Amino acid sequence: MTVYIVEDDTAIRQMESYALENAGIEVQAFACAEELYEACSKILPDLLVLDIMLPGEDGMRILSTLRRSRKTAHIPVMMVTAKGSEYDRVNGLDEGADDYMVKPFSVLEFISRVKALLRRCSPQVKSNRYTLGCILLDDVSRTIQIDGQDCFLTKKNTIC
């Protein structure tokens, strides 16, 4: 999982990056919209952490640009900003942000919210396969094989 951070304050950008990297998340951090757009032209992130008050293009405009593009509309965005009035929070969420945190914030809560967005927006379906002798059960695909041959069952089997 890769998270892009756009934050012009170096100390906050480093703190957010450090916290996520220590949580096992790959991070790329940028100070402005131009750097973000250049990175997105190469590789899209799994999540974007975005400040609002940025030099040049502000975070709300970046969010609007991302949501209008078919290529980036699906990327979850978490706003992390000092703009904390009810109007700002509601506006950010209504404009397409998936989450909104106000600075100053708890680093532990920040990490938890990022992980929750990654879980929700990038589900990882893992196949759980179980074997017992010659029987193979895959509980995701809901299939059973006996000696390598598919075993077809009715929707509801009863044991007599």
Side-chain angles (χ1 to χ4, degrees), residues 48-52 59-60 63 77-81 92-93 97-102:
L48 176 63
V49 174
L50 183 59
D51 188 13
I52 290 179
M60 291 305 293
L63 178 62
V77 176
M78 174 191 282
M79 306 301 288
V80 179
T81 179
L93 294 167
D98 298 283
D99 199 357
Y100 196 105
M101 286 191 74
V102 178

Side-chain angles (χ1 to χ4, degrees), residues 135-153:
I135 301 171
L136 172 68
L137 167 71
D138 186 324
D139 69 350
V140 173
S141 66
R142 302 180 68 98
T143 59
I144 297 175
Q145 290 184 343
I146 300 175
D147 288 327
Q149 299 295 315
D150 288 334
C151 180
F152 297 100
L153 303 174

Side-chain angles (χ1 to χ4, degrees), residues 14 47 86 91 143:
Q14 289 174 344
L47 174 77
E86 180 182 17
N91 187 48
T143 59

Side-chain angles (χ1 to χ4, degrees), residues 9-10 33-34 39 54 59 64 83 93 117-118 120 122 132 152 157:
D9 184 306
T10 304
E34 294 78 26
L54 297 167
S64 177
K83 295 186 70 131
L93 294 167
L117 278 173
L118 289 171
R120 191 167 56 244
S122 303
L132 178 63
F152 297 100
N157 287 320

Side-chain angles (χ1 to χ4, degrees), residues 20-94:
L20 294 178
E21 287 168 350
N22 280 331
I25 298 168
E26 185 179 326
V27 175
Q28 289 189 41
F30 313 102
C32 63
E34 294 78 26
E35 294 174 1
L36 169 69
Y37 294 143
E38 183 178 330
C40 284
S41 71
K42 297 172 186 162
I43 298 173
L44 293 177
D46 296 297
L47 174 77
L48 176 63
V49 174
L50 183 59
D51 188 13
I52 290 179
M53 295 180 287
L54 297 167
E57 190 173 348
D58 74 20
M60 291 305 293
R61 187 170 174 126
I62 294 170
L63 178 62
S64 177
T65 300
L66 294 172
R67 291 298 180 239
R68 282 193 317 266
S69 170
R70 190 177 300 219
K71 180 180 174 186
T72 58
H74 70 282
I75 299 171
V77 176
M78 174 191 282
M79 306 301 288
V80 179
T81 179
K83 295 186 70 131
S85 72
E86 180 182 17
Y87 172 80
D88 292 322
R89 293 188 317 266
V90 169
N91 187 48
L93 294 167
D94 285 349

